[in-house]
Amino acid sequence: MLIIRSLLFYILHWPTTLILSALIVIVRPFGIRASYLFGRLWSRLNGIYLRLLCGISYEVVGRENIPAGPAVYLAKHQSAWETVIFPSIFPPYMWVLKRELFYIPVFGWCLKVLGHIGIDREMGITSLKQINSEGARLLKEGFSVIIFPEGTRVAPGEVGEFNPGGVSLALKAGVPIVPVTHNAGLFWRRKEFAKRPGRIKVVIDEPILTEGLSPSSRKDLNQKVRDIISGRLKEIGG
């Protein structure tokens, strides 16, 4: 039964993704915020599909912690769920993602024209500089940036090493760092077709202010965010 329900989800998910990605590319000349409306619609429609077909809902704890202005969100990465649903939760933002995603027909073009930051994860310091330069520009334009500091999906119950790019960007731009934890991997599992019904919990912790801090605090801040997310995972069982 889980397989059938998941198949029905994908039967709706992929055409919706194709159509709305194409619309995003088409309306991009009229402004990035016009395109972003279609991205948010895509997220909300898929949230409805997941709830009705797969029995997956979610709750958000700490919405009041979302800053009024741009911020760098450092989020747990367990599955594809967060990439689908986060546009429904957070103010307009851009991802830091692997640039290979840009090569996916239509969907990848959509990511590129929206202005998400595509990096080569093998380039080390060069990628860090790219995140700092492009991210600072986006933050100045009023967009937040969401980064998965572990760099890849990590199974529930595990916490990978945190890359310093997100903290470095926040320090450079003087914007808050917001830790985001969830347990989506329990229900939308990595490399597993079937979606398991349940209620995902997303926890948005209080912003960590960076204005006035020196670059030398990067390591301590990075560890602080990792500790917050690790502690929240234990609380929510993810």
Side-chain angles (χ1 to χ4, degrees), residues 137-160:
R137 174 182 55 79
L138 289 167
L139 291 163
K140 190 174 182 180
E141 291 174 357
F143 291 95
S144 292
V145 176
I146 293 186
I147 298 177
F148 297 133
E150 292 160 298
T152 189
R153 288 174 290 181
V154 176
E158 299 178 12
V159 181

Side-chain angles (χ1 to χ4, degrees), residues 5-215:
R5 295 174 72 180
S6 300
L7 178 61
L8 290 173
F9 164 74
Y10 280 114
I11 287 173
L12 291 175
H13 167 74
W14 286 116
T16 300
T17 298
L18 182 64
I19 292 168
L20 289 176
S21 294
L23 285 171
I24 286 170
V25 174
I26 290 168
V27 304
R28 178 62 183 86
F30 298 98
I32 194 167
R33 294 189 183 276
S35 295
Y36 200 90
L37 291 175
F38 287 105
R40 181 160 285 174
L41 175 61
W42 170 79
S43 175
R44 288 176 176 169
L45 286 174
N46 278 286
I48 292 171
Y49 303 158
L50 284 169
R51 186 176 73 250
L52 296 181
L53 296 173
C54 301
I56 296 177
S57 60
Y58 67 91
E59 62 176 307
V60 180
V61 177
R63 282 188 188 270
E64 68 277 7
N65 292 325
I66 296 177
V72 173
Y73 294 86
L74 297 185
K76 192 76 180 89
H77 194 18
Q78 289 187 344
S79 74
W81 178 87
E82 50 268 31
T83 63
V84 173
I85 300 300
F86 274 13
S88 298
I89 299 175
F90 297 101
Y93 68 85
M94 297 297 168
W95 295 107
V96 173
L97 44 80
K98 56 183 181 181
R99 67 180 183 184
E100 289 85 355
L101 293 175
F102 288 161
Y103 307 142
I104 300 173
V106 187
F107 179 69
W109 307 339
C110 152
L111 294 174
K112 188 169 181 61
V113 301
L114 276 174
H116 296 286
I117 303 171
I119 63 169
D120 183 342
R121 293 184 295 187
E122 303 299 320
M123 293 302 290
I125 189 66
T126 301
S127 294
L128 185 60
K129 290 179 179 178
Q130 180 187 357
I131 292 171
N132 279 339
S133 61
E134 295 187 28
R137 174 182 55 79
L138 289 167
L139 291 163
K140 190 174 182 180
E141 291 174 357
F143 291 95
S144 292
V145 176
I146 293 186
I147 298 177
F148 297 133
E150 292 160 298
T152 189
R153 288 174 290 181
V154 176
E158 299 178 12
V159 181
E161 290 300 315
F162 274 33
N163 297 317
V167 169
S168 177
L169 170 60
L171 285 169
K172 177 180 175 64
V175 299
I177 298 168
V178 184
V180 181
T181 314
H182 62 85
N183 56 0
L186 297 174
F187 310 99
W188 184 326
R189 297 187 178 184
R190 182 184 181 188
K191 297 181 180 180
E192 185 173 303
F193 182 81
K195 308 292 178 284
R196 301 168 183 270
R199 189 166 180 82
I200 294 167
K201 192 166 188 176
V202 181
V203 181
I204 304 170
D205 269 288
E206 291 184 4
I208 301 170
L209 303 182
T210 66
E211 191 172 4
L213 296 181
S214 69

